[in-house]
Amino acid sequence: MHIDRTEKTFFMFSVALIIVFAIAVGISGMVYGIALPTPPEGFDVNPQTVATPGVSPWGEQPPDARLHELAPGEYEVYILAQTWLYLPNRITIPAGSKITFYVTSKDVIHGFRLDDTNINMMVIPGEVSKLTATFDEPGTYNFVCHEYCGVGHHTMYGQLIVE
Ligand code: CUA
């Protein structure tokens, strides 16, 4: 069977590209530990009950109470994503603080992208997306939903205020 030289080159290039991508996926998973979000041990994140007070940290009321100070300058916050808001949607921390975001959804897939940081997560019902960042510069950082989640998607945002 005769295969044209150009076609052969193109075919080999395509196969090489697939191999490169497969290696990249392997390295990111095994060396850098990049993985799909999964619930941490001991967390009940059933989307049907996750927002119920007493069941999970995402049920704490009022939502502002979901920001916990662990130590001076060290915080964690449990943010519940739902159509079409984040609760809490206004978080205030002092400059120089380190904060860990635990984000889950009680309905559909949402996103969580925080301006001027590398925080960019998919938020999946039943799973927990977690990332930590340190904020040295005072200012207002918006976080927005970047997964289309319905007619109110473009109104879904919140703010991290660093004082
Ligand atoms: Cu939530 Cu788009």
Side-chain angles (χ1 to χ4, degrees):
M1 184 173 69
H2 172 77
I3 301 175
D4 186 79
R5 199 185 153 79
T6 315
E7 199 169 346
K8 215 181 257 175
T9 308
F10 196 80
F11 177 75
M12 275 154 65
F13 176 74
S14 308
V15 170
L17 206 58
I18 289 167
I19 292 168
V20 167
F21 287 162
I23 291 169
V25 168
I27 289 174
S28 39
M30 284 179 253
V31 179
Y32 294 101
I34 295 168
L36 282 172
T38 49
E41 291 291 320
F43 277 65
D44 178 6
V45 285
N46 179 341
Q48 250 121 57
T49 56
V50 72
T52 311
V55 170
S56 83
W58 294 272
E60 254 183 280
Q61 292 294 349
D64 289 341
R66 297 173 199 168
L67 173 69
H68 308 147
E69 187 176 0
L70 304 173
E74 205 179 325
Y75 293 83
E76 63 176 14
V77 64
Y78 291 82
I79 299 177
L80 185 67
Q82 61 189 83
T83 48
W84 291 284
L85 70 156
Y86 295 104
L87 288 173
N89 61 6
R90 225 179 133 84
I91 302 152
T92 306
I93 56 169
S97 300
K98 188 169 116 180
I99 180 167
T100 301
F101 297 87
Y102 294 88
V103 194
T104 192
S105 166
K106 71 166 196 177
D107 41 44
V108 298
I109 289 175
H110 296 280
F112 186 89
R113 196 186 90 73
L114 189 61
D115 281 357
D116 303 328
T117 69
N118 60 0
I119 294 184
N120 186 335
M121 307 187 284
M122 195 176 194
V123 183
I124 304 168
E127 309 289 350
V128 179
S129 301
K130 175 191 169 192
L131 273 178
T132 301
T134 302
F135 294 87
D136 293 323
E137 289 297 313
T140 300
Y141 301 81
N142 293 322
F143 47 89
V144 299
C145 179
H146 59 55
E147 294 280 347
Y148 183 72
C149 55
V151 291
H153 162 70
H154 63 287
T155 65
M156 188 165 170
Y157 83 105
Q159 290 181 321
L160 173 77
I161 296 143
V162 179
E163 299 183 321

